[in-house]
Amino acid sequence: MARSTHVRRPATLASLAAELGVSRTTVSNAYNRPDQLSPELRRRVLETARRLGYPGPDPVARSLRTRKAGAVGLLLTENLSYAFRDPAALGFLEGLALACEGAGQGLHLVPVNPEREDVASVHRAGVDGFVVYSVPDDDPHLAAVLSRPVPTVVADQPRVDGVDRVGIDDRGAITALAGRLIALGHRRVGVICMRLARDRNDGFVTVERADSAHFHVQRARLAGLADAFGGVGVDWSRVPVVERFDHSVASGASAAAQLLDADPHVTALVCTSDILALGALAEARRRGLRVPQDLTVTGFDGIADAERVGLTTVRQPVLEKGRAAGKLLLASPDPTRPREITLDTEFVPGATAAPPRTAEERWFGP
Amino acid sequence: MARSTHVRRPATLASLAAELGVSRTTVSNAYNRPDQLSPELRRRVLETARRLGYPGPDPVARSLRTRKAGAVGLLLTENLSYAFRDPAALGFLEGLALACEGAGQGLHLVPVNPEREDVASVHRAGVDGFVVYSVPDDDPHLAAVLSRPVPTVVADQPRVDGVDRVGIDDRGAITALAGRLIALGHRRVGVICMRLARDRNDGFVTVERADSAHFHVQRARLAGLADAFGGVGVDWSRVPVVERFDHSVASGASAAAQLLDADPHVTALVCTSDILALGALAEARRRGLRVPQDLTVTGFDGIADAERVGLTTVRQPVLEKGRAAGKLLLASPDPTRPREITLDTEFVPGATAAPPRTAEERWFGP
DNA sequence: AATTGGTTCTGAACCGTTACGGTCAATCCA
DNA sequence: TGGATTGACCGTAACGGTTCAGAACCAATT
């Protein structure tokens, strides 16, 4: 019997109503408003539903009628695996998922085909709103999201007119960190950063490229460094900046190698993420450079592994950021005045920063 | 002008058609079948759409008509944060996300309210199928998923009639690992496992509880250990098994402490996950026990941190598992013969297993 | 001149549900 | 006893699309 229901046309609210001789409204009420019909009738409805193999109101039809999908769309950067391997992104995802769960909303990961610029998936997503996390400024998917008539929250992205936003003060935070290095005496530094645009450029970065970076976060952090070092008379255009497309420890190591090969006299490597900094640490170790005596290394994010090795870095509340994005989206949106949440960051002194060795020390030991 | 569209009732396919003086079909075709109308008319349609602020066909209405939601539902265990912190679960999630992305399907994380047994979220999810990952056998959400008339794949779960499944041979794999320990001479062992049921039990586990565990994976692994040690005459009912509700390194450490306090003579700690094993290693270190000379510790999963410390364990292809689940679901399902994929595992010798010390060695050194 | 074929567009049916505004009888209150 | 209230249920009209079988038209072929 149960088998046959799979063969024949599946039951609907209407067919169930017909079978019972009641109106569709009543069947609907049996599921959604038990107080609107007698317990006895409701029991009959539910029992008949079971007998006919009716699985309950169709979620899509319900969504159409109620204009609620019960889900939040999440637009991540083009490479999904990136998000799953980056602790900061993961923390954000977790926070967002928690917020959604708390509100009983689903979280719909929008598929982004890395190959084609296929924006259709954004249009196809049946969601009540979008969260956009750290995509390039010119990402067509972002544009597609903004064209949809649903509330949106951007995170780790530049401001968008009429759209809520959550983030941190990337620029200020890294300026403060750089201030510490400056106070320690560092003037000759190198920078290692994540990818700045959608095209691949594993190597040195021109000032123009840094200024026009398509990733808000990286652009802001580089600008913060320019602020700090420029402020003490360092010629920012001469500071070596090495970019890596892949965000991995190995990338950080190879970037450090490239940078130290090109300029062995840098006293500090400032990395725009902890992951990259961990790679830089590995490369320093490989070269027999002691950290922090011979070389200062700093990161950004405050991930667990960084804490484990005592990295000097900036901690940002990634989970809280995700949660805030979710709350912002799920709270009744106010289109007249887009809200903006900037979360606090915290400098983590760590143990990988120290005053630079003097030239004499370099050659003759401390 | 653009503002006003937000105020008045938003444009629909029908209103757009009316404005243009064409049929709804034609507008629909402009979006979905460009070859069905003249380029000129299509241009006009799209331009008018822009002018009227029409964001393109509504995804929900389209889903209702086409009976395709373009998304896959994922049912995870009740505690979302758990999934985001467990590398094995994360690997599965990544693999599944990749499979979905490759097929242009969204991935809809179903919210599971840990408080109430609220199954409504399962009924509300507009998806074309479900993946159920490692939930308790008696989880009402699982039952709700099975009641929905969509294809389903279970992973790390017991077989369900008529439902595709993907997993590994947990029982066989851990039996093999135990065989190595037995060959090394271990007979007096302790076991540390993850939670076995939905209720909290941080402490020792009775044979009944182990046998009736609600989590398939844990049950299978314990059964595998019973097979192996029972096979060489060890009285399984006397083997101490300690359970922890939270799956964390700290839990592993406290479980190890509890176990070693209760039975200081165990020569090996067999853990049902690497995370727990890492905790056991930490506790051993804290007690000044050398691993593997004084104590053998083994894990399960083959996570990156385990490899880093040279843990003796079993590696399972978690990413591949997720990907396989996605492929199985997205491939045209064959309801007549549910498919089952069992992925291979690999024993990782590592460096945390060695022959037990003899009693003399214990007291007088090797 | 009739047939064929191709393009372009239309009309009507359908997808499965819920919101809204009722009706009708039974019950309550003074 | 009569008017108001309450409980239980119903009919209709959306919700916003897609689809399929044609209609209308024109050009090319027989």
Side-chain angles (χ1 to χ4, degrees):
Chain A
M1 184 188 72
R3 286 290 150 220
S4 69
T5 59
H6 265 274
V7 174
R8 104 166 55 102
R9 187 173 202 72
T12 73
L13 199 91
S15 69
L16 190 53
E19 172 86 15
L20 282 156
V22 302
S23 77
R24 304 207 300 277
T25 302
T26 300
V27 177
S28 176
N29 283 336
Y31 285 95
N32 304 316
R33 318 240 265 251
D35 57 315
Q36 294 292 304
L37 71 174
S38 64
E40 159 58 13
L41 178 54
R42 180 170 134 92
R43 202 192 50 67
R44 266 181 58 219
V45 171
L46 266 33
E47 201 233 284
T48 309
R50 201 169 322 116
R51 185 163 56 76
L52 262 50
Y54 176 64
D58 180 281
V60 175
R62 175 192 313 221
S63 287
L64 175 59
R65 183 64 242 228
T66 60
R67 317 175 125 277
K68 292 252 152 300
V72 166
L74 173 59
L75 184 62
L76 284 171
T77 182
E78 55 215 72
N79 189 343
L80 240 182
S81 286
Y82 159 79
F84 280 101
R85 294 175 199 276
D86 177 33
L90 217 42
F92 181 86
L93 185 55
E94 181 183 343
L96 178 59
L98 285 172
C100 289
E101 191 176 73
Q105 298 291 299
L107 183 57
H108 181 120
L109 273 53
V110 176
V112 172
N113 197 314
E115 303 301 309
R116 304 171 301 130
E117 293 208 349
D118 185 6
V119 149
S121 56
V122 172
H123 289 122
R124 234 187 286 280
V127 297
D128 299 324
F130 281 99
V131 172
V132 179
Y133 178 76
S134 196
V135 303
D137 301 358
D138 60 344
D139 191 320
H141 298 87
L142 170 57
V145 164
L146 295 176
S147 80
R148 295 250 332 234
V150 294
T152 297
V153 174
V154 299
D156 285 1
Q157 297 259 144
R159 245 170 294 274
V160 176
D161 265 2
V163 169
D164 292 342
R165 177 174 181 273
V166 34
I168 59 172
D169 178 11
D170 288 286
R171 186 166 183 162
I174 207 164
T175 297
L177 177 143
R180 307 289 185 125
L181 300 189
I182 288 166
L184 289 173
H186 292 278
R187 291 297 181 279
R188 190 150 182 181
V189 302
V191 177
I192 297 175
C193 69
M194 292 168 58
R195 71 202 190 101
L196 300 178
R198 290 161 69 204
D199 64 315
R200 187 176 199 114
N201 169 45
D202 289 320
F204 287 95
V205 174
T206 63
V207 171
E208 297 74 48
R209 185 173 174 88
D211 287 346
S212 66
H214 285 332
F215 284 96
H216 168 80
V217 166
Q218 295 298 306
R219 188 175 59 235
R221 292 182 191 170
L222 291 180
L225 294 175
D227 289 349
F229 288 107
V232 292
V234 173
D235 181 356
W236 175 246
S237 69
R238 293 195 178 282
V239 172
V241 178
V242 173
E243 173 182 354
R244 280 295 180 272
F245 190 84
D246 291 324
H247 187 228
S248 64
V249 174
S251 283
S254 82
Q258 183 174 14
L259 208 155
L260 291 172
D261 284 345
D263 186 350
H265 298 303
V266 297
T267 60
L269 290 181
V270 181
C271 306
T272 62
S273 86
D274 285 351
I275 294 279
L276 293 175
L278 292 175
L281 287 178
E283 175 62 16
R285 193 178 322 116
R286 203 185 64 76
R287 295 185 171 222
L289 293 171
R290 292 166 305 162
V291 174
Q293 296 92 330
D294 302 329
L295 184 70
T296 282
V297 174
T298 67
F300 200 108
D301 282 343
I303 69 176
D305 276 340
E307 181 148 11
R308 206 161 292 141
V309 303
L311 185 68
T312 299
T313 188
V314 171
R315 177 158 37 227
Q316 62 163 322
V318 288
L319 191 129
E320 209 40 61
K321 189 156 58 177
R323 203 196 297 265
K327 280 188 179 158
L328 223 45
L329 189 65
L330 296 168
S332 58
D334 173 7
T336 65
R337 195 179 42 76
R339 293 151 300 183
E340 179 153 356
I341 294 182
T342 301
L343 298 165
D344 289 334
T345 57
E346 177 194 359
F347 175 73
V348 180
T352 60
R357 306 187 76 187
T358 63
E360 295 91 310
E361 283 173 346
R362 278 177 173 263
W363 295 110
F364 308 112
Chain B
M1 183 187 71
R3 288 288 151 223
S4 67
T5 59
H6 266 275
V7 175
R8 103 168 55 103
R9 188 173 203 72
T12 72
L13 198 96
S15 69
L16 189 52
E19 171 85 14
L20 282 157
V22 301
S23 75
R24 307 210 306 280
T25 304
T26 299
V27 178
S28 176
N29 284 335
Y31 285 95
N32 303 316
R33 315 237 261 252
D35 57 317
Q36 293 293 303
L37 73 174
S38 65
E40 159 59 14
L41 178 54
R42 180 170 135 91
R43 201 192 50 67
R44 265 182 58 219
V45 171
L46 265 34
E47 201 233 284
T48 310
R50 200 169 322 116
R51 184 163 56 78
L52 263 51
Y54 176 64
D58 181 279
V60 175
R62 168 184 286 162
S63 286
L64 174 60
R65 182 64 237 232
T66 61
R67 319 178 122 277
K68 292 254 151 297
V72 166
L74 173 59
L75 183 63
L76 284 171
T77 181
E78 57 214 69
N79 189 344
L80 241 181
S81 285
Y82 157 80
F84 280 101
R85 294 175 199 274
D86 178 31
L90 216 41
F92 181 87
L93 185 55
E94 181 184 343
L96 177 59
L98 285 172
C100 289
E101 191 177 74
Q105 298 291 300
L107 182 56
H108 181 121
L109 274 54
V110 176
V112 172
N113 197 314
E115 302 301 310
R116 305 171 300 132
E117 293 208 348
D118 185 6
V119 148
S121 56
V122 172
H123 289 123
R124 233 186 288 279
V127 296
D128 299 324
F130 281 99
V131 172
V132 179
Y133 177 76
S134 197
V135 303
D137 301 357
D138 60 344
D139 190 320
H141 297 87
L142 171 56
V145 163
L146 295 176
S147 81
R148 295 248 333 232
V150 293
T152 297
V153 174
V154 299
D156 286 1
Q157 298 259 145
R159 245 170 294 276
V160 176
D161 265 1
V163 169
D164 293 340
R165 176 174 183 273
V166 33
I168 59 172
D169 178 12
D170 287 286
R171 185 164 181 164
I174 207 165
T175 298
L177 177 144
R180 307 287 186 127
L181 300 189
I182 289 166
L184 289 173
H186 292 278
R187 292 297 181 277
R188 190 149 184 182
V189 303
V191 177
I192 297 174
C193 68
M194 293 168 57
R195 71 202 189 99
L196 300 178
R198 290 160 70 203
D199 65 315
R200 189 177 199 113
N201 170 44
D202 288 320
F204 287 95
V205 174
T206 63
V207 172
E208 297 74 47
R209 185 173 173 88
D211 288 346
S212 66
H214 285 331
F215 284 96
H216 167 80
V217 165
Q218 295 298 307
R219 189 175 60 233
R221 293 183 189 168
L222 291 180
L225 293 175
D227 289 348
F229 289 106
V232 294
V234 173
D235 182 356
W236 175 247
S237 69
R238 292 194 179 282
V239 172
V241 178
V242 172
E243 173 182 353
R244 280 296 180 272
F245 190 85
D246 291 323
H247 187 227
S248 65
V249 173
S251 284
S254 81
Q258 184 175 13
L259 208 154
L260 291 172
D261 283 345
D263 185 349
H265 297 303
V266 297
T267 61
L269 290 180
V270 180
C271 307
T272 61
S273 86
D274 285 351
I275 294 280
L276 294 175
L278 292 175
L281 286 178
E283 174 63 16
R285 192 178 323 117
R286 202 184 64 76
R287 294 185 173 224
L289 292 172
R290 292 166 306 163
V291 174
Q293 295 92 329
D294 301 330
L295 183 70
T296 282
V297 173
T298 68
F300 201 108
D301 284 342
I303 69 177
D305 276 340
E307 181 148 12
R308 205 161 292 142
V309 304
L311 185 67
T312 299
T313 188
V314 172
R315 177 158 38 226
Q316 61 163 324
V318 288
L319 190 128
E320 209 41 60
K321 189 156 58 176
R323 203 196 296 266
K327 280 189 180 161
L328 222 46
L329 189 64
L330 295 168
S332 59
D334 174 6
T336 65
R337 193 180 43 76
R339 292 151 300 184
E340 178 152 357
I341 294 182
T342 302
L343 297 164
D344 289 333
T345 56
E346 178 194 357
F347 175 72
V348 180
T352 60
R357 306 187 78 183
T358 62
E360 295 92 311
E361 284 172 345
R362 279 178 173 263
W363 296 110
F364 307 113

